[in-house]
Amino acid sequence: MANMKINKKDLVQLLGQWSQEFELFVPSRDGDNPRFLPWDGKDTGFLDWYRNTVIPPKSTMLPPVEEMFRFQKEKGKVQLEAPSADSKRRLLFGIRPCDANAMTLLDKNFEDGYEDPYYFNRRKNTLLVGLACTRPYDSCFCTSMGGSPSDASKVDIMLTDIGEQFLVEAVTDAGKDLIAKTGGLEEATEADAARAEESRKAAERKVTRKVDTSDITERLRASFEDKEFWEKTAAKCVSCGICTFLCPTCYCFFINDETNKQCGVRCKGWDSCAFSCYTRMPMENPRSEKWKRVRQKMAHKYEYYPMTYGVMACTGCGRCIRNCPVNWDITQVIKSVPAKARVESK
Amino acid sequence: MEQKLRSEARALLEQGKVDYIFGYEPGSLKFTTTPLLTRDKNDVDRLVVNPFIVNNLAKFLTELKGRVGIVVKGCDSRSLVSLIQDNKVARGNVVILGVPCEGLIDLSKVEKLVGRERDELDDILREGDKVFVTVDGKKREFPIADVAFDKCLACELPTPKEYDILLGAPTSPIGQKDAGYTAIDNLKGKIPQERWEFWKKEFSRCIRCYACRNVCPACFCQRCFVEETEPKWVEPTANWQDNLLFQVVRNIHVAGRCSDCGECERACPVKIPLRALTREMYDIVGELFDFKTGMDKNEPSLMTHYEKEEAEGLIR
Amino acid sequence: MEQKSEWDPQIVGFLCKWCSYAGADLAGTSRKKYPPNVRVIKVPCSGRVDPLFVLKGLRMGFDGVLVSGCHPGDCHYQTGNYRARRKMAITKKFLEYMGVEPERIQASWVSASEGDKFAATVADVTDNLKKTGPNRLFEDRRENNGTEASK
């Protein structure tokens, strides 16, 4: 299928068309708290300010709080009631390549062993329409994590800014089907393709933060027992949940029952390995010390994930750097992990 | 000021008067700083003092054992003194390096004024009462009162009262107190139901990352009530009711310890206007008990002290 | 939904065991008539009452919270009630600022001999709360689960 294009000012009509069939999510300012919210059907004002959201789009698949089921005890029997499943198909418009990449990383965890129904009910029902990044932040480092501001490989449809228009590229079959039945698109010319290429290169040049992750897995393994290094690294961390909650690839959740006498609801919600109570057990807490939690966070992303799934659990979106209250910079930590074991492992 | 700080810090470490230096070094992002907590005298040359030293380093005192040379602004010094009052920190274990503060620059205000985000600005320069922001090669001028944090506008003690070494000449408050109260005044103009609705809406977006609590030097509990499970005081799920309850109780628990340093509000990733709570509590405590946080290390802390006759109007 | 029964406020009372709890006992044994709206929790001292209890009471759906202890100077532990006074004063003021009706948070001094005062206090608090209306502070129309207090 040839690439298409659409005028920026016609984007409202395009979204209007799609919102007939899909529940449409777009980047929304929500006061001063950018996140993906259902489209209000009005405009595409987000194009003016949108760089990336603070709350990552994982919140549309793995919400901060989610009801798993309700339960009620009646005459000695327990009745369970599942929440009504959303059946309407969803479309996430404007997801950045780094966050789309993060979705594929989340998939790996939630399909491991068995498919998590809560996550995949939404994930499989959702089409991702990417918007190539033109204004990366100074904290972005996607190019060091194998991505790029215009990487189209993890979305269904990709839009690239070519001035007055967007180049529209159908990537997956689902994307192609949707484009085929979407009106108002023009076929792109070779000049458009060239302009898109230029736009991609320009954006890539703006990603100035670089970090070499080629041997980080080995370095982390070698430094596991290096308490001195980890204590120094963790010193200024305040153990809040910002970097994990805002990370598009972090998926930890707790399960909690809210009960009242004979009935209640079982919920799941975001949890964070940065919290000191995260691993608390009746007898002990294996990660009660801060440096162990910081080590865990690093090792999970850059050592255990690659060992288990062959990819690192980081896409370089930079949210953890931008939003950290003490400027704990994960790229600096990646750089500083010692190359050789300084401590004999036991 | 930086040179003096570096040489004093180096001397303290070299003479073995302290085990650690807590200060600020340039952050990894433009116009930011980051806490530098070090035992290494070779690190002290990275120490900086500039209008972006936002963190309240007193937070780290309750974590580490040992003697600490700590850089504090006025507000931080009050947190530190409050910790001394509560016997969380021994005065003899800290060497206080006081920074006479001229007010810190609130980057979110700058971003709003120039319509660009932090990383797109070329330069921010403070000269006296003026701040020059260069963006796209154009230099724009703002009075400090327009770009300083609200807490700095309402600040009562820019120069630490309790210190061992003062790093410069004492400064006076910016003196725009009313401007530091905009959010609170707006709320007070509303009827109770509207105020509650306001907070309900604000707390509905809280994601319970606990950054507000974890950056707070007054929140030094080993275990917070929100983490108790028997009894379970609040649900861990981020619903607005429990979010709000958490924050209200946190504010009450740190009453008289909160120096209105504004770190909770700055750290909040979903921008809940928490200073509209902390400042009100600060003023309530002042009004009822004539108490101001961390002004005098010999004064007892708010909750360990009482007067025979006070606040009787509120009791039946 | 609207049954014939009139809404009646529910109050949780934290009573010091040395004074107000005994005062409540006295009100009972001397057959004082007062509204049955307070659910009493005995505490060792009014100073034991963490403002968290007050908030938790409101969160659970109680229409009012009453904290009652010994008169100033009479604390069994010398100073517990003075501390309670500081805590309750800031709690009341702060919650008022948040938008909570001040009638919902009550503190009183009731000695073991003041059965009359206890009865009068409860009657007055109940009466005020009837005017204030039910506590809908933490109500959420969508929420219909366990965390709502038993009614």
Side-chain angles (χ1 to χ4, degrees), chain A residues 32-33 51 135 137-138 209 236 238-242 245 256-258 280 290 325-327 329, chain B residues 27-29 34 55 63 112 117-120 205 207-209 214 223 227 232 235-237 266 270:
Chain A
D32 219 353
N33 295 281
R51 299 178 74 186
R135 283 166 71 198
Y137 289 93
D138 59 350
R209 183 169 292 263
K236 66 184 175 188
V238 293
S239 299
C240 73
I242 288 182
F245 283 3
N256 176 56
D257 286 351
E258 293 182 24
R280 192 175 69 211
K290 191 164 71 176
V326 295
N327 184 240
D329 187 328
Chain B
S28 70
L29 302 173
T34 183
N55 299 95
E63 267 184 25
K112 283 213 175 73
E117 292 192 54
R118 174 195 51 77
D119 60 328
E120 297 171 314
R205 63 169 185 272
I207 52 173
R208 222 64 100 68
C209 67
N214 290 17
R223 182 134 154 221
E227 277 144 10
K232 187 158 69 176
E235 300 292 345
T237 29
R266 187 191 64 84
V270 292

Side-chain angles (χ1 to χ4, degrees), chain C residues 42-147:
Chain C
K42 183 158 80 170
V43 289
C45 173
S46 54
R48 168 67 183 95
V49 180
D50 188 321
L52 170 60
F53 301 178
V54 178
L55 265 296
K56 183 70 176 172
L58 295 176
R59 170 76 174 98
M60 288 173 75
F62 283 100
D63 301 298
V65 183
L66 171 68
V67 176
S68 191
C70 309
H71 285 272
D74 291 348
C75 179
H76 186 78
Y77 308 100
Q78 313 300 334
T79 61
N81 52 358
Y82 290 123
R83 288 152 212 275
R85 187 169 62 188
R86 285 207 158 179
K87 282 189 269 194
M88 289 309 292
I90 57 171
T91 304
K92 205 172 153 80
K93 281 268 188 187
F94 191 65
L95 287 179
E96 203 178 325
Y97 167 73
M98 296 285 295
V100 176
E101 301 88 340
E103 291 80 14
R104 300 203 189 282
I105 299 127
Q106 297 290 344
S108 64
W109 305 140
V110 172
S111 78
S113 62
E114 291 177 322
D116 285 342
K117 186 176 177 188
F118 184 78
T121 303
V122 172
D124 194 37
V125 169
T126 308
D127 208 36
N128 281 344
L129 280 172
K130 276 186 180 159
K131 284 176 208 145
T132 310
N135 169 12
R136 299 201 192 286
L137 290 168
F138 288 99
E139 214 168 72
D140 194 334
R141 261 155 265 130
R142 285 169 306 149
E143 190 186 53
N144 188 22
N145 61 38
T147 43

Side-chain angles (χ1 to χ4, degrees), chain B residues 77-110:
Chain B
S77 80
R78 299 177 63 181
S79 298
L80 171 51
V81 168
S82 173
L83 289 171
I84 295 170
Q85 289 172 347
D86 279 325
N87 286 327
K88 297 301 288 183
V89 171
R91 180 65 183 90
N93 277 348
V94 281
V95 175
I96 304 174
L97 300 152
V99 173
C101 180
E102 296 181 301
L104 303 181
I105 294 176
D106 183 347
L107 289 167
S108 66
K109 283 190 184 176
V110 176

Side-chain angles (χ1 to χ4, degrees), chain B residues 78 85 156 256 281-296 299-302 305-307 309-311, chain C residues 86 90:
Chain B
R78 299 177 63 181
Q85 289 172 347
E156 292 168 31
M281 182 55 96
Y282 177 93
D283 288 341
I284 288 174
V285 168
E287 186 192 318
L288 286 175
F289 308 116
D290 194 21
F291 184 91
K292 285 192 189 298
T293 301
M295 285 299 196
D296 179 357
E299 198 182 21
S301 67
L302 180 77
H305 185 68
Y306 62 91
E307 297 292 335
E309 289 190 15
E310 61 184 8
Chain C
R86 285 207 158 179
I90 57 171

Side-chain angles (χ1 to χ4, degrees), chain A residues 326-346:
Chain A
V326 295
N327 184 240
W328 189 89
D329 187 328
I330 202 161
T331 58
Q332 288 179 333
V333 178
I334 294 173
K335 283 179 194 159
S336 66
V337 178
K340 272 195 197 127
R342 301 190 302 175
V343 182
E344 286 289 310
S345 66
K346 284 165 203 158

Side-chain angles (χ1 to χ4, degrees), chain A residues 295-321:
Chain A
R295 178 180 69 183
Q296 163 65 22
K297 177 190 151 81
M298 290 299 293
H300 190 209
K301 290 197 171 307
Y302 304 103
E303 184 185 347
Y304 310 149
Y305 227 74
M307 280 162 65
T308 321
Y309 303 119
V311 278
M312 290 179 200
C314 171
T315 64
C317 75
R319 282 187 182 86
C320 56
I321 307 176

